[in-house]
Amino acid sequence: MRKQALLTLITAGLAATAALASSQAFAYNQGDFITRVGVAHVDPKSDNGSLVNGAIDVDVRSDTNLGFTLGYLFHDKLGIELLAALPFKHDIELNGVEAASTKHLPPTLTLQYYPLGGTGSQLQPYAGVGLNYTHFFSEEIDIEGVDLDLDSSWGLAGQLGLDVRLDDNWGINAAAWYVDIDTDASLNGTDVGKVSIDPWVFMAGVSYRF
């Protein structure tokens, strides 16, 4: 009888240990690197400003491409992350007519907070705030003899995200950033106004912890 009780106690202890180990496999901890790869969609706000003293209304269209991030946890609940992507190309409507385009790269560095970091939760939400740098290039405009130039932009960025842990390494991720992007536009070197893009950036894909 005592042997049976001891065997039952040992079995229960092993089961509890296994459950704890399985749970802790999901935990985000200090020293973890996390990379995320997925489809990223840049959706500019609807009113992007006007040029030439209000004579030309600007509408910057959305685009989708591959996005990826690399993050590091320097504390169970705190980390930093760099967002990068393949170049996005945006068609630009001027007074309702598609007449220009530009490409850009939007590296964004954020300080992140993981409220459930250090716990065995399978759901790991996070929030971040940081700085964006957007470099515009390959600007084109459908006006012969006219060159369009958009200046690079610095602005603040906010972020919300969620990892759903599948095992010790892999997970499914969804994230969104709001980015302050304002650029000065010039035609043949003459300043003609400011374009406010201020997009939401949405990304969905997979995450890998190592």
Side-chain angles (χ1 to χ4, degrees):
M1 188 68 177
R2 289 181 178 178
K3 290 182 179 180
Q4 182 62 36
L6 181 59
L7 181 59
T8 300
L9 184 60
I10 292 174
T11 301
L14 290 174
T17 300
L20 179 60
S22 176
S23 175
Q24 287 304 111
F26 294 133
Y28 281 171
N29 298 305
Q30 179 180 343
D32 285 349
F33 284 90
I34 305 169
T35 185
R36 302 173 173 103
V37 180
V39 176
H41 180 73
V42 177
D43 186 24
K45 69 175 186 176
S46 58
D47 180 10
N48 304 123
S50 60
L51 304 177
V52 194
N53 295 319
I56 301 175
D57 291 327
V58 180
D59 185 15
V60 181
R61 312 307 294 170
S62 62
D63 191 38
T64 302
N65 213 331
L66 180 69
F68 40 91
T69 69
L70 178 63
Y72 174 73
L73 296 182
F74 56 85
H75 183 278
D76 287 353
K77 296 183 181 295
L78 295 173
I80 56 173
E81 182 184 71
L82 177 65
L83 166 68
L86 295 182
F88 294 97
K89 181 179 179 180
H90 296 279
D91 293 324
I92 302 173
E93 294 184 358
L94 303 177
N95 284 342
V97 178
E98 187 176 305
S101 66
T102 185
K103 294 181 180 179
H104 85 271
L105 289 170
T108 303
L109 185 66
T110 54
L111 173 66
Q112 297 175 312
Y113 173 63
Y114 291 80
L116 300 181
T119 74
S121 175
Q122 187 176 8
L123 301 179
Q124 293 287 347
Y126 55 92
V129 62
L131 185 66
N132 166 265
Y133 170 75
T134 297
H135 172 64
F136 295 94
F137 62 99
S138 297
E139 300 97 322
E140 297 180 358
I141 187 167
D142 296 337
I143 303 176
E144 187 174 353
V146 176
D147 291 326
L148 170 66
D149 183 71
L150 300 175
D151 288 347
S152 296
S153 166
W154 291 91
L156 296 178
Q159 176 194 32
L160 291 174
L162 175 68
D163 284 325
V164 181
R165 305 302 311 156
L166 301 178
D167 59 25
D168 192 25
N169 299 112
W170 292 97
I172 299 173
N173 172 260
W177 294 257
Y178 181 77
V179 187
D180 178 25
I181 301 178
D182 295 322
T183 175
D184 292 322
S186 60
L187 297 175
N188 288 345
T190 301
D191 186 12
V192 293
K194 185 182 295 291
V195 179
S196 297
I197 301 175
D198 298 346
W200 279 98
V201 180
F202 303 99
M203 191 172 86
V206 297
S207 64
Y208 184 80
R209 182 200 29 195
F210 58 98

